Amino acid sequence: LPLTFRIDDEDWFRIDEVEVLAYRQALDLRTGVLHRDLRFRDGHGRTTRWRERRLISMATAHLAALEIELTPEDWSGNVTVRSALDGTVTNNGVARYRALQGRHLETVVRRGCEGGGILLEVRSNQSGIHCVQAARTTLSRDGTPIDAECRVEIETDAIAELIAVTMREGEAVTVEKIVALHSSLDPAISAPALAACETLASTGHFETLLAAHATAW
């Protein structure tokens, strides 16, 4: 899920640091898709619309997909999209458990994925199960892929793709993130990292996943 953006070299977008003009979230129970529609104004007075669709595939249990349409309503500029895989997640949602050890994952590998994308492999501390996510992020404008500059950023327990694009007032850019997940519990695989990369490489775009998912749902 970690995906954000910034204009020029400013701070990364955080919803609690902007003026929210409109917000709507809906779960479509006919297709099994989560929708979010957000308009906000940043500290420089720029208004942006963020429209999102999100699913976990019922057709292929190893796949999830996120699509975000960003529209600069009254500004133009250079934008960097940051799409990450995060190994620092913790179990702290319940107040009475927060004093306990909430982190159960140890990072094993952070690297690029063969054929494009990024990969994060973690191991559970107690059971020793290996879990791997591989992610591919692409940008398009009016259905046409954008040949954008991309670099990989590796941190201690995370990895991210940083993709640069020029945005123009009133013109939407679509950001698509496809994620494949495999673990060492999966049957008939040689290695979860290899399986995740192969699943990602053989997977189509968001609309293809959505059609198969909605049919299965």
Side-chain angles (χ1 to χ4, degrees):
L1 286 177
L3 195 150
T4 186
F5 76 100
R6 69 182 179 195
I7 303 170
D8 296 324
D9 293 322
E10 299 172 12
D11 293 337
W12 297 105
F13 163 70
R14 291 173 56 90
I15 194 170
D16 55 353
E17 295 178 355
V18 298
E19 178 188 358
V20 176
L21 304 175
Y23 185 92
R24 182 175 184 270
Q25 180 167 293
L27 177 61
D28 184 345
L29 291 175
R30 291 187 181 276
T31 59
V33 176
L34 180 70
H35 296 257
R36 285 204 306 166
D37 197 341
L38 168 68
R39 287 183 70 243
F40 59 90
R41 182 176 296 121
D42 62 26
H44 296 275
R46 295 169 299 209
T47 306
T48 306
R49 184 170 187 178
W50 173 301
R51 302 182 68 182
E52 175 182 331
R53 295 189 292 175
R54 187 192 305 174
L55 65 88
I56 298 175
S57 178
M58 286 283 285
T60 306
H62 296 288
L63 290 172
L66 178 67
E67 180 195 72
I68 296 170
E69 183 185 86
L70 284 175
T71 306
E73 294 190 356
D74 53 12
W75 59 272
S76 299
N78 297 317
V79 168
T80 302
V81 173
R82 185 180 190 274
S83 174
L85 297 173
D86 184 9
T88 66
V89 292
T90 59
N91 290 348
N92 60 3
V94 180
R96 65 179 180 272
Y97 295 149
R98 286 174 188 159
L100 304 176
Q101 175 58 257
R103 184 170 180 189
H104 303 290
L105 303 176
E106 174 189 354
T107 300
V108 178
V109 175
R110 298 106 50 231
R111 63 172 173 83
C113 202
E114 295 84 355
I118 53 177
L119 179 144
L120 175 71
E121 180 173 358
V122 297
R123 178 174 54 238
S124 58
N125 293 333
Q126 292 186 330
S127 57
I129 298 170
H130 285 243
C131 298
V132 180
Q133 286 187 335
R136 179 186 72 227
T137 304
T138 56
L139 273 60
S140 63
R141 186 182 282 116
D142 294 328
T144 302
I146 299 173
D147 186 16
E149 176 187 350
C150 179
R151 65 183 178 89
V152 175
E153 178 182 79
I154 298 178
E155 301 176 358
T156 303
D157 294 299
I159 184 169
E161 287 184 295
L162 277 67
I163 308 170
V165 63
T166 299
M167 298 188 69
R168 296 183 289 270
E169 180 177 344
E171 293 187 3
V173 167
T174 300
V175 183
E176 176 185 281
K177 182 177 184 179
I178 308 296
V179 178
L181 169 66
H182 282 269
S183 83
S184 55
L185 295 179
D186 294 347
I189 61 171
S190 58
L194 178 62
C197 285
E198 289 178 343
T199 297
L200 187 67
S202 62
T203 299
H205 291 285
F206 185 92
E207 291 293 345
T208 303
L209 267 68
L210 173 59
H213 162 73
T215 299
W217 178 275

